[in-house]
Amino acid sequence: RAKSEGRGCFRFFETGMDDDAVKSQELRADLRNALSGDELRLRFQPIMNLQTSAVAGFEALLRWQHPRRGLTSPAEFIGLAEMTGAIIDIDRWVLRKACATAAQWPGDLSISVNLTAGQFKEQGLVDAVATALVESNLPADRLRLEITEAALLQDSESVRAMLASLRQMGVRISIDDFGTGYSSLGYLRRFQIDNIKIDRSFVADLNGDARTTPILRAITTLGQDLGISITAEGIETPWQADRLQTMGCHEGQGFHFGAPLDAFEVCDFISANRQGRHVSALVER
Ligand code: C2E
Ligand code: MG
Ligand code: MG
Ligand code: MG
């Protein structure tokens, strides 16, 4: 393309960059109103017990109903929110909203909430979690906090202390996107963790890369021996679900089981699941 566009191409890229800069300037300004303007939404994606086919819980996934751009995915604004510091208030809002919603669900379904790595530097996090639990009346052991490997790479002692306080409250800790970061076995020893979520790139590779199966099997065995449950992300086909179930993987999540749902759709999903019906909402509206 650069060649065919000749001299114009330099300008083309320059304009593109300006557009991006302008766009992110705009988004940054809009982000200030997202919370106060009631523009944030939560969707809930089912997490299934692969061994029993029962729904185990849901992951809260953030959406921004932007006044002009429409429904905006977290990939487009979480990074920006981290840069401006808005992420602290946003994550706290998610925490409260997710706990309040899950408190309405029947049985002992879990709710998983994503936290950005930076949250683990915030002393107020433990209090924020405690407040969300008290306000919602949700039993602590139904809340799972998803943190990435990046969060565990920060100052080891303070992260350890924070995880210990959270677990003392009864809250569960998941490592999200496992396998994409540094995946050090050291932190399975250093930190107490309840659940590992294997990144969806491994699941996508199941069919193509012969090394993926032994790796997944090893992680599953490791989890079993350490008392850590293993959740596979991004299951899109019945074949993948079947393979992971056979390997002994505990839980699965992905479009095969259900897309992120609106809160009002969650109850239908739960009752259909209890009647043994499979209601796969393939596309997110
Ligand atoms: P994540 O925590 O790993 O969430 C899983 C992502 O994979 C979600 O994208 C989900 O919609 C998508 N997904 C689920 N099943 C499938 C599948 O079968 N195939 C494929 N290709 N994708 C699938 P989403 O909702 O766009 O979220 C992206 C990331 O944004 C999340 O990744 C998480 O890191 C972050 N995020 C989402 N909500 C929050 C939040 O409330 N707070 C923070 N700090 N981060 C959040
Ligand atoms: Mg997650
Ligand atoms: Mg994940
Ligand atoms: Mg992921």
Side-chain angles (χ1 to χ4, degrees):
R1 166 147 75 184
K3 209 166 192 178
S4 65
E5 278 173 17
R7 279 184 339 134
C9 102
F10 181 59
R11 195 189 258 157
F12 169 76
F13 280 116
E14 228 177 31
T15 313
M17 263 157 51
D18 283 352
D19 278 357
D20 277 358
V22 168
K23 235 196 291 185
S24 88
Q25 275 290 319
E26 268 175 19
L27 265 192
R28 188 192 289 240
D30 293 346
L31 203 50
R32 267 182 244 133
N33 304 322
L35 254 181
S36 53
D38 200 21
E39 294 165 4
L40 297 181
R41 305 280 178 269
L42 283 187
R43 291 268 163 91
F44 302 90
Q45 188 177 32
I47 299 174
M48 312 300 288
N49 181 322
L50 287 179
Q51 303 303 321
T52 65
S53 298
V55 55
F58 294 83
E59 176 175 3
L61 293 164
L62 186 59
R63 301 290 179 264
W64 179 10
Q65 188 65 56
H66 189 279
R68 294 179 311 280
R69 298 156 143 258
L71 205 63
T72 308
S73 97
E76 291 182 63
F77 66 88
I78 289 283
L80 209 60
E82 282 172 329
M83 271 159 53
T84 66
I87 192 66
I88 295 176
D89 286 337
I90 292 177
D91 274 358
R92 306 254 152 116
W93 177 86
V94 172
L95 201 51
R96 295 172 68 185
K97 184 85 175 169
C99 289
T101 307
Q104 311 297 314
W105 297 341
D108 54 0
L109 296 165
S110 66
I111 177 74
S112 298
V113 174
N114 293 283
L115 293 178
T116 37
Q119 282 278 19
F120 274 76
K121 291 196 287 252
E122 296 302 322
Q123 277 312 311
L125 176 65
V126 177
D127 283 343
V129 171
T131 304
L133 289 172
V134 168
E135 277 178 2
S136 63
N137 217 9
L138 184 79
D141 62 359
R142 287 174 55 192
L143 176 62
R144 294 185 191 181
L145 297 178
E146 297 195 0
I147 59 179
T148 54
E149 294 168 354
L152 300 179
L153 284 173
Q154 302 173 104
D155 170 37
S156 191
E157 253 333 292
S158 64
V159 171
R160 203 149 94 139
M162 188 150 319
L163 288 183
S165 319
L166 290 167
R167 287 188 88 250
Q168 199 139 37
M169 286 164 50
V171 172
R172 315 288 167 154
I173 306 293
S174 300
I175 303 185
D176 204 355
D177 303 333
F178 187 81
T180 53
Y182 299 86
S183 309
S184 153
L185 291 179
Y187 58 55
L188 294 184
R189 206 166 42 139
R190 236 177 354 257
F191 307 112
Q192 292 212 338
I193 277 139
D194 302 280
N195 172 249
I196 287 175
K197 299 188 78 174
I198 299 173
D199 189 66
R200 66 165 189 261
S201 57
F202 286 87
V203 175
D205 263 356
L206 257 180
N207 195 18
D209 186 347
R211 289 169 299 186
T212 302
T213 298
I215 291 173
L216 289 181
R217 206 179 273 132
I219 296 175
T220 301
T221 307
L222 189 68
Q224 234 143 33
D225 293 348
L226 289 172
I228 296 173
S229 67
I230 308 292
T231 308
E233 298 190 294
I235 300 180
E236 295 182 351
T237 69
W239 182 84
Q240 289 168 340
D242 203 59
R243 286 296 301 276
L244 287 154
Q245 194 236 326
T246 308
M247 275 176 218
C249 186
H250 309 104
E251 294 176 339
Q253 179 179 356
F255 298 155
H256 166 61
F257 300 111
L261 306 168
D262 265 321
F264 72 89
E265 297 170 304
V266 166
C267 294
D268 285 346
F269 187 95
I270 295 168
S271 52
N273 176 256
R274 296 201 163 161
Q275 291 161 30
R277 282 189 286 128
H278 179 74
V279 278
S280 170
L282 271 172
V283 282
E284 187 175 354
R285 278 163 302 182

